[in-house]
Amino acid sequence: MLNTNYLGGITMRRTGTILMLMVICAGILFAAPKVKIVTEYVTPQMLATNSAFTGDSTVATGLRSVAKGTYVYMRAWNFGDTAAIQTATWTMLTKPAGSGATLAGLTGLPTWQKFKADLTGAYQVKVSITTSTGSKDTTVDIFASTYVGTGGFDNVPAAFPNCMSCHGTTPKFQDIFNRWKTTGHATSFKTGISTSNSGFGPSCFKCHTMGYDHDIFAANNGFDDKARDLGWNWSTYAPPKPGNWDTIKNRFPELTKFAGVGCESCHGPGSEHVFGGGDTTKIMKSVDEGTCGSCHDSQPNGPIFTQWKNARHSKVVWSSSFAQNNNGTNDLGNCIRCHDGQGYVNFTKGIGTNTNGKTQASHEMVSCATCHDPHGSSNPYQLRSRPAGSDTLANGYHYSNVGNGAVCLDCHKSRRNTATYVLTKVTSSTWGPHHNSQGDLYLGQNLATFGGAPYRQTQHWAFLQNACVTCHMPPTDTTAANKDKVGGHALYLHNEATDYDHLKACQSCHFGKTRFDQFIADADYDADGTIEAWRFEVKGSLTRLAMALPPYGVDSVAWQLIAADTLNPNHLNTKKAYINYLSIRDGGEYGMHNAKYVIDALVASRNAVLGITNLSYEIPVRFELGQNYPNPFNPTTKFKFAIPKDGDVKIIVYDIMGREVNVLVNQKMAPGTYEVDWNGMNMANAKVSSGVYFYRIIAGNFTEVKKMVMVK
């Protein structure tokens, strides 16, 4: 007879072996290194402060289209796993004929290499890395070019090979040019040399013209080379004064095509692109921060870049889940819209971002060009606009009253319409509003409500003209310990290292307030016996709400238990309370945007979970216990009670014999008017019989008893 148990054992062992091999192979597959050669930017501040760049070094934008005679800096990056690079072998595979370019390491930066692009043409570099999980190699193509000039500015006609000699024939590029020509990028040189006492001079030319040498001589047809060829010399025209620009325009019109921050300042020099038949691989389009940092990171006059590097925008989180779709949607469910610099730019243009197959290697930080359009816009500071109708919260609330803060609120808001989303099933740890719902809290919108009194509003939105920008972007602190770490483009209002609160923007309304802890709440909402600063009352109330949610009694919430709690008749209120908890916890501002709205939502959420409704947050003049209604009742009834001051409140139901039937309220409570339900159940969760019952309130020295009748 065939031994099926024996065969079953063999089958099981084979299956187990196959599964183990699959796990091992999967581990090898998913833990293997992946390598990218990152073309790195080097800013003036980096040159001045990092010994790795002493000697023969130049500013670099990080683009793969570079100016002849300048340095290219590269870094090997293992983005496939977290294993450190143990060895990196670099090879120059190809370079232009006659080039003497060689690769060299940088002291203190073991994964970096540099070379000088001494001739125009293509350079191909290879790196091979080894890590504890394997080895991998990749290549990168670099194109060195000379400058060709913009053309068309201030009515000086473009001529080949100027950028606008070709791009001026298409409506798209003509629109870009028309917006650019009125910006500071286009006009700063013209304004600087023509304005008396401006202090403008050769030290400014590096950033206010196109292709001017940074630190080492480079003949690449930049502004300095063109000026030398044409015979223009600043010493002849100094100091800045009216008429200087007109002299250039009339006597040296070719120089005007390089006299400003033009196309090639941000896209790289264009000769290889132009004379290569318009090959778009030889010119760069990028929102990478390096193009801006090449000028805006030069202390003390250019602190913006340093501030940005201290901000979270320069460290935007990447997750493999961002490669989530191939339909290019721009809705709030598409992570790439806010977690990627180019993704946000695409959103502002109404262009979908196809993230199918996207990896961390193509992830862009939220950089200067993410929020500001370098080509210019009709908004202040060249801030980007958004498509018509898109400036709403997820619940459809139109936030037209936030000024320059609209750019911030495009991302800093909940991704869900709470009123409808709480009806869905809790399915994972990402259920809910998602992180950074500060916009909803600031505007007093989109938290769940429970049918009681509307939440109060602190109403910052009513008088802060530019919303987020007003408070988060005042000038930075002047002390060395806090400088560029708070305010400005750093955006933080607290420096953890020095325990400093940056409240400059608050002074006009909250005179004398220098610490967040000086904003004191109007009641003891977290029931710890002390009226504290708003942020501590909010933190305490968050803890109290967490302890009222599953798993109950601990300062954490388990979404799995909420998901499994569907048979609870109060399940909807539990989900509402949970989404409010997530919105306020992950907003991270602990009430400072809209203290009353946040605290009322927390108190109402906890009470709703416990079967209590907040009818009013106004402080009553006296204690009260209302008559239940309906009365007689079956199966449920409710009654109101008023608390004029903080304290312990207990509401107990008794039978006609004076025996305790149930405890409906037993907690510290803040002042207000409330309503509590009784579902006719006793403490054993069993239905009580028909008859007369009494309910009693004990609040401090106040006590009162009323009668009710249950009928069946």
Side-chain angles (χ1 to χ4, degrees), residues 481-482 485-486 492-501 535:
N482 299 315
K485 296 180 178 66
V486 291
Y492 288 114
L493 296 182
H494 179 75
N495 184 0
E496 193 69 33
T498 59
D499 193 30
Y500 167 75
D501 292 336
R535 66 192 193 101

Side-chain angles (χ1 to χ4, degrees), residues 93-246:
L93 295 179
T94 61
K95 56 186 177 182
S99 170
T102 57
L103 294 166
L106 284 86
T107 303
L109 298 172
T111 61
W112 286 49
Q113 290 276 300
K114 72 175 183 178
F115 72 89
K116 184 188 285 187
D118 56 346
L119 295 178
T120 58
Y123 299 77
Q124 188 177 71
V125 177
K126 175 183 176 181
V127 69
S128 300
I129 67 164
T130 59
T131 73
S132 60
T133 59
S135 60
K136 193 69 176 177
D137 58 69
T138 191
T139 61
V140 67
D141 294 318
I142 307 292
F143 299 96
S145 301
T146 57
Y147 293 91
V148 298
T150 302
F153 178 65
D154 209 11
N155 298 315
V156 176
F160 187 83
N162 301 152
C163 300
M164 291 307 292
S165 65
C166 295
H167 291 297
T169 61
T170 63
K172 173 185 174 181
F173 285 104
Q174 190 61 52
D175 171 66
I176 291 172
F177 178 82
N178 288 341
R179 287 187 284 117
W180 165 82
K181 69 183 181 181
T182 62
T183 66
H185 280 155
T187 62
S188 60
F189 180 82
K190 171 185 175 180
T191 302
I193 66 169
S194 304
T195 303
S196 299
N197 302 317
S198 66
F200 203 80
S203 63
C204 309
F205 293 176
K206 292 180 181 180
C207 286
H208 293 273
T209 65
M210 199 160 61
Y212 199 95
D213 288 345
H214 276 267
D215 298 291
I216 65 172
F217 175 78
N220 47 38
N221 204 40
F223 177 89
D224 50 337
D225 304 312
K226 202 71 179 176
R228 186 169 53 251
D229 293 343
L230 294 172
W232 182 86
N233 191 300
W234 172 242
S235 62
T236 306
Y237 301 94
K241 56 185 177 295
N244 275 347
W245 174 256
D246 292 334

Side-chain angles (χ1 to χ4, degrees), residues 500-521:
Y500 167 75
D501 292 336
H502 192 57
L503 303 185
K504 285 187 176 180
C506 305
Q507 298 297 314
S508 59
C509 295
H510 302 282
F511 181 75
K513 294 283 197 301
T514 59
R515 300 283 298 176
F516 285 119
D517 294 354
Q518 294 170 336
F519 293 85
I520 305 300

Side-chain angles (χ1 to χ4, degrees), residues 512-590:
K513 294 283 197 301
T514 59
R515 300 283 298 176
F516 285 119
D517 294 354
Q518 294 170 336
F519 293 85
I520 305 300
D522 56 6
D524 178 22
Y525 294 100
D526 64 354
D528 66 355
T530 306
I531 297 177
E532 305 161 291
W534 277 110
R535 66 192 193 101
F536 292 122
E537 293 291 344
V538 169
K539 286 181 180 180
S541 296
L542 271 169
T543 298
R544 292 190 86 212
L545 176 55
M547 295 176 73
L549 292 168
Y552 306 112
V554 297
D555 187 13
S556 64
V557 183
W559 69 265
Q560 299 93 334
L561 296 179
I562 294 176
D565 195 34
T566 55
L567 297 180
N568 183 345
N570 205 24
H571 183 54
L572 177 58
N573 279 348
T574 300
K575 288 194 293 183
K576 286 182 175 183
Y578 181 46
I579 206 167
N580 285 352
Y581 172 81
L582 293 172
S583 294
I584 296 166
R585 183 198 69 180
D586 296 342
E589 40 78 83
Y590 300 113

Side-chain angles (χ1 to χ4, degrees), residues 344-463:
Y344 177 75
V345 172
N346 291 348
F347 155 70
T348 65
K349 296 179 177 180
I351 301 171
T353 302
N354 188 331
T355 60
N356 194 32
K358 185 178 177 69
T359 69
Q360 190 175 6
S362 57
H363 186 213
E364 293 277 8
M365 294 298 104
V366 176
S367 65
C368 320
T370 303
C371 300
H372 304 271
D373 189 342
H375 297 131
S377 74
S378 58
N379 298 321
Y381 310 105
Q382 299 178 212
L383 289 169
R384 292 191 183 273
S385 299
R386 64 233 18 92
S390 69
D391 52 341
T392 61
L393 298 181
N395 67 342
Y397 177 78
H398 186 69
Y399 51 88
S400 59
N401 56 338
V402 295
N404 296 336
V407 173
C408 310
L409 290 179
D410 282 338
C411 288
H412 290 270
K413 59 188 176 186
S414 171
R415 63 178 177 176
R416 304 296 188 190
N417 177 2
T418 296
T420 56
Y421 193 68
V422 291
L423 303 177
T424 67
K425 180 178 174 60
V426 179
T427 54
S428 71
S429 61
T430 60
W431 183 90
H434 204 44
H435 304 290
N436 295 319
S437 52
Q438 295 95 345
D440 300 68
L441 304 182
Y442 168 78
L443 293 166
Q445 290 285 329
N446 208 22
L447 290 183
T449 57
F450 300 91
Y455 304 148
R456 296 170 296 169
Q457 298 279 353
T458 304
Q459 294 188 318
H460 275 137
W461 48 265
F463 51 84

Side-chain angles (χ1 to χ4, degrees), residues 476-700:
T476 189
D477 189 48
T478 56
T479 62
N482 299 315
K483 185 177 184 297
D484 297 332
K485 296 180 178 66
V486 291
H489 282 79
L491 300 173
Y492 288 114
L493 296 182
H494 179 75
N495 184 0
E496 193 69 33
T498 59
D499 193 30
Y500 167 75
D501 292 336
H502 192 57
L503 303 185
K504 285 187 176 180
C506 305
Q507 298 297 314
S508 59
C509 295
H510 302 282
F511 181 75
K513 294 283 197 301
T514 59
R515 300 283 298 176
F516 285 119
D517 294 354
Q518 294 170 336
F519 293 85
I520 305 300
D522 56 6
D524 178 22
Y525 294 100
D526 64 354
D528 66 355
T530 306
I531 297 177
E532 305 161 291
W534 277 110
R535 66 192 193 101
F536 292 122
E537 293 291 344
V538 169
K539 286 181 180 180
S541 296
L542 271 169
T543 298
R544 292 190 86 212
L545 176 55
M547 295 176 73
L549 292 168
Y552 306 112
V554 297
D555 187 13
S556 64
V557 183
W559 69 265
Q560 299 93 334
L561 296 179
I562 294 176
D565 195 34
T566 55
L567 297 180
N568 183 345
N570 205 24
H571 183 54
L572 177 58
N573 279 348
T574 300
K575 288 194 293 183
K576 286 182 175 183
Y578 181 46
I579 206 167
N580 285 352
Y581 172 81
L582 293 172
S583 294
I584 296 166
R585 183 198 69 180
D586 296 342
E589 40 78 83
Y590 300 113
M592 298 314 298
H593 288 155
N594 197 338
K596 293 178 181 177
Y597 178 71
V598 165
I599 205 74
D600 286 357
L602 287 173
V603 171
S605 297
R606 183 177 184 275
N607 285 338
V609 170
L610 299 175
I612 304 168
T613 302
N614 297 67
L615 296 179
S616 173
Y617 298 96
E618 299 300 321
I619 299 176
V621 295
R622 60 183 176 272
F623 287 102
E624 288 186 18
L625 178 65
Q627 184 62 51
N628 69 304
Y629 61 95
N631 189 35
F633 68 93
N634 181 22
T636 63
T637 190
K638 58 183 65 182
F639 45 85
K640 298 177 183 178
F641 60 98
I643 307 296
K645 62 181 180 179
D646 302 334
D648 294 319
V649 178
K650 205 169 188 180
I651 297 179
I652 308 166
V653 177
Y654 301 91
D655 65 16
I656 197 166
M657 301 298 294
R659 293 172 297 205
E660 195 171 283
V661 174
N662 209 336
V663 179
L664 304 183
V665 178
N666 185 13
Q667 65 183 62
K668 288 182 180 291
M669 299 192 73
T673 302
Y674 302 90
E675 184 175 75
V676 64
D677 296 332
W678 183 42
N679 57 6
M681 310 293 278
N682 62 21
M683 286 184 285
N685 208 31
K687 201 74 174 176
V688 300
S689 60
S690 299
V692 175
Y693 292 88
F694 299 91
Y695 57 98
R696 180 189 189 196
I697 185 172
I698 305 170

